[in-house]
Amino acid sequence: PAKVSLIIQIELRDIQHVEMKMLNNVGQLVWNRSKENYRAGTETVDVSALASGVYIVQVTVNGNMKSLRFVKE
């Protein structure tokens, strides 16, 4: 099967602590990453092994969380 990736791009004004999580449709954690002293960049997540379904990606910077929903087919 082809490799399927999700790319998360983060742009910050100064160096921050960043936490990234991916949850499945029942709220179970399927991937996470935490980085200190993160300025900006991209994270590429291989999602080819995940089952088809709806997932939530949560990115938290200094206590402020943003969520993104995506569907893996």
Side-chain angles (χ1 to χ4, degrees), residues 10-18 35-40 61-62:
I10 300 171
E11 295 182 20
L12 302 170
R13 293 182 187 186
D14 4 329
I15 296 173
Q16 307 279 337
H17 174 79
V18 175
K35 292 192 171 187
E36 297 288 334
N37 302 323
Y38 197 79
R39 180 177 299 276
V61 179
N62 288 342

PDB file of all heavy atoms in Angstrom, residues 10-18 35-40 61-62:
ATOM      1  N   ILE A  10       3.642  24.402  11.709  1.00  0.00           N
ATOM      2  CA  ILE A  10       3.497  25.295  12.856  1.00  0.00           C
ATOM      3  C   ILE A  10       4.423  26.490  12.670  1.00  0.00           C
ATOM      4  O   ILE A  10       5.607  26.315  12.406  1.00  0.00           O
ATOM      5  CB  ILE A  10       3.854  24.569  14.165  1.00  0.00           C
ATOM      6  CG1 ILE A  10       2.932  23.369  14.350  1.00  0.00           C
ATOM      7  CG2 ILE A  10       3.761  25.512  15.353  1.00  0.00           C
ATOM      8  CD1 ILE A  10       3.337  22.469  15.484  1.00  0.00           C
ATOM      9  N   GLU A  11       3.854  27.670  12.778  1.00  0.00           N
ATOM     10  CA  GLU A  11       4.652  28.892  12.692  1.00  0.00           C
ATOM     11  C   GLU A  11       4.453  29.688  13.981  1.00  0.00           C
ATOM     12  O   GLU A  11       3.327  29.953  14.374  1.00  0.00           O
ATOM     13  CB  GLU A  11       4.230  29.718  11.483  1.00  0.00           C
ATOM     14  CG  GLU A  11       4.512  29.010  10.172  1.00  0.00           C
ATOM     15  CD  GLU A  11       4.150  29.845   8.962  1.00  0.00           C
ATOM     16  OE1 GLU A  11       4.047  31.074   9.085  1.00  0.00           O
ATOM     17  OE2 GLU A  11       3.957  29.250   7.904  1.00  0.00           O
ATOM     18  N   LEU A  12       5.563  30.033  14.623  1.00  0.00           N
ATOM     19  CA  LEU A  12       5.517  30.765  15.887  1.00  0.00           C
ATOM     20  C   LEU A  12       6.402  31.997  15.803  1.00  0.00           C
ATOM     21  O   LEU A  12       7.375  32.017  15.059  1.00  0.00           O
ATOM     22  CB  LEU A  12       6.002  29.871  17.034  1.00  0.00           C
ATOM     23  CG  LEU A  12       5.239  28.567  17.236  1.00  0.00           C
ATOM     24  CD1 LEU A  12       5.965  27.684  18.216  1.00  0.00           C
ATOM     25  CD2 LEU A  12       3.835  28.857  17.723  1.00  0.00           C
ATOM     26  N   ARG A  13       6.085  32.992  16.605  1.00  0.00           N
ATOM     27  CA  ARG A  13       6.903  34.214  16.632  1.00  0.00           C
ATOM     28  C   ARG A  13       8.157  34.035  17.469  1.00  0.00           C
ATOM     29  O   ARG A  13       9.188  34.585  17.177  1.00  0.00           O
ATOM     30  CB  ARG A  13       6.087  35.374  17.168  1.00  0.00           C
ATOM     31  CG  ARG A  13       4.978  35.745  16.228  1.00  0.00           C
ATOM     32  CD  ARG A  13       4.207  36.903  16.735  1.00  0.00           C
ATOM     33  NE  ARG A  13       3.051  37.084  15.859  1.00  0.00           N
ATOM     34  CZ  ARG A  13       2.222  38.070  15.947  1.00  0.00           C
ATOM     35  NH1 ARG A  13       2.377  38.983  16.880  1.00  0.00           N
ATOM     36  NH2 ARG A  13       1.225  38.172  15.121  1.00  0.00           N
ATOM     37  N   ASP A  14       8.055  33.292  18.590  1.00  0.00           N
ATOM     38  CA  ASP A  14       9.245  33.029  19.407  1.00  0.00           C
ATOM     39  C   ASP A  14       9.271  31.554  19.773  1.00  0.00           C
ATOM     40  O   ASP A  14       8.349  30.815  19.505  1.00  0.00           O
ATOM     41  CB  ASP A  14       9.308  33.833  20.708  1.00  0.00           C
ATOM     42  CG  ASP A  14       8.134  34.697  21.003  1.00  0.00           C
ATOM     43  OD1 ASP A  14       7.544  35.154  20.069  1.00  0.00           O
ATOM     44  OD2 ASP A  14       7.818  34.916  22.176  1.00  0.00           O
ATOM     45  N   ILE A  15      10.322  31.165  20.436  1.00  0.00           N
ATOM     46  CA  ILE A  15      10.503  29.777  20.838  1.00  0.00           C
ATOM     47  C   ILE A  15       9.455  29.416  21.887  1.00  0.00           C
ATOM     48  O   ILE A  15       9.235  30.161  22.834  1.00  0.00           O
ATOM     49  CB  ILE A  15      11.937  29.576  21.369  1.00  0.00           C
ATOM     50  CG1 ILE A  15      12.941  29.820  20.249  1.00  0.00           C
ATOM     51  CG2 ILE A  15      12.105  28.187  21.947  1.00  0.00           C
ATOM     52  CD1 ILE A  15      14.386  29.822  20.689  1.00  0.00           C
ATOM     53  N   GLN A  16       8.805  28.299  21.706  1.00  0.00           N
ATOM     54  CA  GLN A  16       7.707  27.879  22.571  1.00  0.00           C
ATOM     55  C   GLN A  16       7.812  26.381  22.863  1.00  0.00           C
ATOM     56  O   GLN A  16       8.504  25.642  22.171  1.00  0.00           O
ATOM     57  CB  GLN A  16       6.357  28.116  21.869  1.00  0.00           C
ATOM     58  CG  GLN A  16       6.131  29.487  21.347  1.00  0.00           C
ATOM     59  CD  GLN A  16       5.687  30.455  22.412  1.00  0.00           C
ATOM     60  OE1 GLN A  16       5.159  30.067  23.439  1.00  0.00           O
ATOM     61  NE2 GLN A  16       5.907  31.729  22.185  1.00  0.00           N
ATOM     62  N   HIS A  17       7.046  25.927  23.859  1.00  0.00           N
ATOM     63  CA  HIS A  17       6.842  24.498  24.105  1.00  0.00           C
ATOM     64  C   HIS A  17       5.600  24.091  23.319  1.00  0.00           C
ATOM     65  O   HIS A  17       4.552  24.728  23.427  1.00  0.00           O
ATOM     66  CB  HIS A  17       6.635  24.226  25.595  1.00  0.00           C
ATOM     67  CG  HIS A  17       6.289  22.807  25.875  1.00  0.00           C
ATOM     68  ND1 HIS A  17       7.230  21.814  25.905  1.00  0.00           N
ATOM     69  CD2 HIS A  17       5.100  22.207  26.109  1.00  0.00           C
ATOM     70  CE1 HIS A  17       6.637  20.659  26.162  1.00  0.00           C
ATOM     71  NE2 HIS A  17       5.339  20.875  26.287  1.00  0.00           N
ATOM     72  N   VAL A  18       5.715  23.036  22.511  1.00  0.00           N
ATOM     73  CA  VAL A  18       4.619  22.599  21.646  1.00  0.00           C
ATOM     74  C   VAL A  18       4.310  21.133  21.921  1.00  0.00           C
ATOM     75  O   VAL A  18       5.220  20.311  22.019  1.00  0.00           O
ATOM     76  CB  VAL A  18       4.994  22.793  20.153  1.00  0.00           C
ATOM     77  CG1 VAL A  18       3.911  22.240  19.253  1.00  0.00           C
ATOM     78  CG2 VAL A  18       5.249  24.253  19.845  1.00  0.00           C
ATOM     79  N   LYS A  35       7.654  18.925  22.094  1.00  0.00           N
ATOM     80  CA  LYS A  35       8.946  19.536  21.781  1.00  0.00           C
ATOM     81  C   LYS A  35       9.145  20.797  22.596  1.00  0.00           C
ATOM     82  O   LYS A  35       8.286  21.667  22.626  1.00  0.00           O
ATOM     83  CB  LYS A  35       9.042  19.875  20.297  1.00  0.00           C
ATOM     84  CG  LYS A  35       9.104  18.653  19.414  1.00  0.00           C
ATOM     85  CD  LYS A  35       9.485  19.029  18.003  1.00  0.00           C
ATOM     86  CE  LYS A  35       9.760  17.777  17.207  1.00  0.00           C
ATOM     87  NZ  LYS A  35      10.274  18.078  15.894  1.00  0.00           N
ATOM     88  N   GLU A  36      10.296  20.875  23.241  1.00  0.00           N
ATOM     89  CA  GLU A  36      10.713  22.092  23.942  1.00  0.00           C
ATOM     90  C   GLU A  36      11.443  22.981  22.935  1.00  0.00           C
ATOM     91  O   GLU A  36      11.998  22.492  21.953  1.00  0.00           O
ATOM     92  CB  GLU A  36      11.667  21.749  25.086  1.00  0.00           C
ATOM     93  CG  GLU A  36      11.056  20.903  26.172  1.00  0.00           C
ATOM     94  CD  GLU A  36      10.059  21.661  27.019  1.00  0.00           C
ATOM     95  OE1 GLU A  36      10.162  22.898  27.135  1.00  0.00           O
ATOM     96  OE2 GLU A  36       9.167  20.993  27.576  1.00  0.00           O
ATOM     97  N   ASN A  37      11.475  24.250  23.184  1.00  0.00           N
ATOM     98  CA  ASN A  37      12.250  25.202  22.375  1.00  0.00           C
ATOM     99  C   ASN A  37      11.940  25.087  20.882  1.00  0.00           C
ATOM    100  O   ASN A  37      12.821  25.049  20.043  1.00  0.00           O
ATOM    101  CB  ASN A  37      13.757  24.994  22.610  1.00  0.00           C
ATOM    102  CG  ASN A  37      14.108  25.147  24.070  1.00  0.00           C
ATOM    103  OD1 ASN A  37      13.551  25.993  24.764  1.00  0.00           O
ATOM    104  ND2 ASN A  37      14.997  24.319  24.550  1.00  0.00           N
ATOM    105  N   TYR A  38      10.675  25.011  20.560  1.00  0.00           N
ATOM    106  CA  TYR A  38      10.224  24.863  19.174  1.00  0.00           C
ATOM    107  C   TYR A  38       9.938  26.243  18.605  1.00  0.00           C
ATOM    108  O   TYR A  38       9.208  27.022  19.197  1.00  0.00           O
ATOM    109  CB  TYR A  38       8.954  24.014  19.167  1.00  0.00           C
ATOM    110  CG  TYR A  38       8.582  23.447  17.830  1.00  0.00           C
ATOM    111  CD1 TYR A  38       9.218  22.322  17.340  1.00  0.00           C
ATOM    112  CD2 TYR A  38       7.585  24.018  17.067  1.00  0.00           C
ATOM    113  CE1 TYR A  38       8.869  21.770  16.120  1.00  0.00           C
ATOM    114  CE2 TYR A  38       7.223  23.481  15.847  1.00  0.00           C
ATOM    115  CZ  TYR A  38       7.874  22.352  15.381  1.00  0.00           C
ATOM    116  OH  TYR A  38       7.525  21.821  14.171  1.00  0.00           O
ATOM    117  N   ARG A  39      10.528  26.548  17.491  1.00  0.00           N
ATOM    118  CA  ARG A  39      10.293  27.859  16.880  1.00  0.00           C
ATOM    119  C   ARG A  39       9.247  27.763  15.772  1.00  0.00           C
ATOM    120  O   ARG A  39       8.246  28.443  15.782  1.00  0.00           O
ATOM    121  CB  ARG A  39      11.582  28.461  16.332  1.00  0.00           C
ATOM    122  CG  ARG A  39      11.354  29.831  15.704  1.00  0.00           C
ATOM    123  CD  ARG A  39      12.621  30.487  15.216  1.00  0.00           C
ATOM    124  NE  ARG A  39      13.581  30.725  16.258  1.00  0.00           N
ATOM    125  CZ  ARG A  39      13.593  31.776  17.068  1.00  0.00           C
ATOM    126  NH1 ARG A  39      12.652  32.685  16.962  1.00  0.00           N
ATOM    127  NH2 ARG A  39      14.509  31.913  17.982  1.00  0.00           N
ATOM    128  N   ALA A  40       9.474  26.952  14.798  1.00  0.00           N
ATOM    129  CA  ALA A  40       8.541  26.774  13.688  1.00  0.00           C
ATOM    130  C   ALA A  40       8.996  25.569  12.900  1.00  0.00           C
ATOM    131  O   ALA A  40      10.133  25.137  13.021  1.00  0.00           O
ATOM    132  CB  ALA A  40       8.497  28.012  12.799  1.00  0.00           C
ATOM    133  N   VAL A  61       0.114  25.094  22.290  1.00  0.00           N
ATOM    134  CA  VAL A  61       1.279  25.968  22.447  1.00  0.00           C
ATOM    135  C   VAL A  61       1.026  26.824  23.679  1.00  0.00           C
ATOM    136  O   VAL A  61       0.069  27.595  23.711  1.00  0.00           O
ATOM    137  CB  VAL A  61       1.486  26.866  21.204  1.00  0.00           C
ATOM    138  CG1 VAL A  61       2.687  27.780  21.399  1.00  0.00           C
ATOM    139  CG2 VAL A  61       1.645  26.018  19.948  1.00  0.00           C
ATOM    140  N   ASN A  62       1.862  26.637  24.703  1.00  0.00           N
ATOM    141  CA  ASN A  62       1.739  27.393  25.956  1.00  0.00           C
ATOM    142  C   ASN A  62       0.315  27.393  26.507  1.00  0.00           C
ATOM    143  O   ASN A  62      -0.223  28.426  26.886  1.00  0.00           O
ATOM    144  CB  ASN A  62       2.236  28.824  25.785  1.00  0.00           C
ATOM    145  CG  ASN A  62       3.740  28.874  25.663  1.00  0.00           C
ATOM    146  OD1 ASN A  62       4.431  27.931  26.023  1.00  0.00           O
ATOM    147  ND2 ASN A  62       4.250  29.968  25.142  1.00  0.00           N
TER     148      ASN A  62
END
